[in-house]
Amino acid sequence: MTVTKRRPVSPGEILIEEFLEPLNLTQGHLADAMGVPRKHINELCTGRRAVTVSSALLLAKVFGTSADFWLNVQRRLDLWNALHSDDVKKKLDKVRPVQTAA
């Protein structure tokens, strides 16, 4: 399995750098537009909360993107984090492919 050494950009980084800053939006404005608490947006921005299906749908509607965009950003980060986890590496080292009947 190929693992990149460089950590993918987080959903929070994209949210801040590609949406909030260019659009001159505050976390509070975004929270109001999405109908969620400001804490929810702050936790997304700081990486303490993952993008869920529900939040991806809300972000997509607010910014005119797709929910898939936000979920894929989260998925890439989750996969990278898992593949760089010592626990996951140890488990993967023990896994053997299943033999299929010919």
Side-chain angles (χ1 to χ4, degrees):
M1 185 175 303
T2 305
V3 181
T4 60
K5 293 183 184 197
R6 195 162 142 201
R7 184 178 181 270
V9 177
S10 72
E13 291 170 294
I14 289 178
L15 184 57
I16 292 167
E17 295 175 16
E18 302 295 328
F19 293 92
L20 294 180
E21 288 177 352
L23 296 172
N24 201 29
L25 288 174
T26 65
Q27 292 180 14
H29 287 125
L30 178 57
D32 289 344
M34 291 174 61
V36 298
R38 185 187 173 287
K39 179 180 179 182
H40 181 109
I41 301 304
N42 181 262
E43 290 173 347
L44 281 173
C45 289
T46 58
R48 292 189 320 264
R49 177 184 292 262
V51 172
T52 62
V53 170
S54 177
S55 58
L57 289 166
L58 295 172
L59 288 164
K61 178 127 187 190
V62 167
F63 292 121
T65 61
S66 69
D68 285 334
F69 168 78
W70 295 103
L71 291 170
N72 285 331
V73 172
Q74 185 66 56
R75 180 192 54 80
R76 281 191 302 270
L77 181 62
D78 290 346
L79 183 58
W80 189 91
N81 286 336
L83 291 173
H84 284 81
S85 157
D86 289 337
D87 289 342
V88 172
K89 285 180 186 178
K90 287 176 188 173
K91 288 178 185 175
L92 286 173
D93 286 343
K94 295 177 183 177
V95 172
R96 300 288 172 246
V98 174
Q99 299 295 321
T100 58

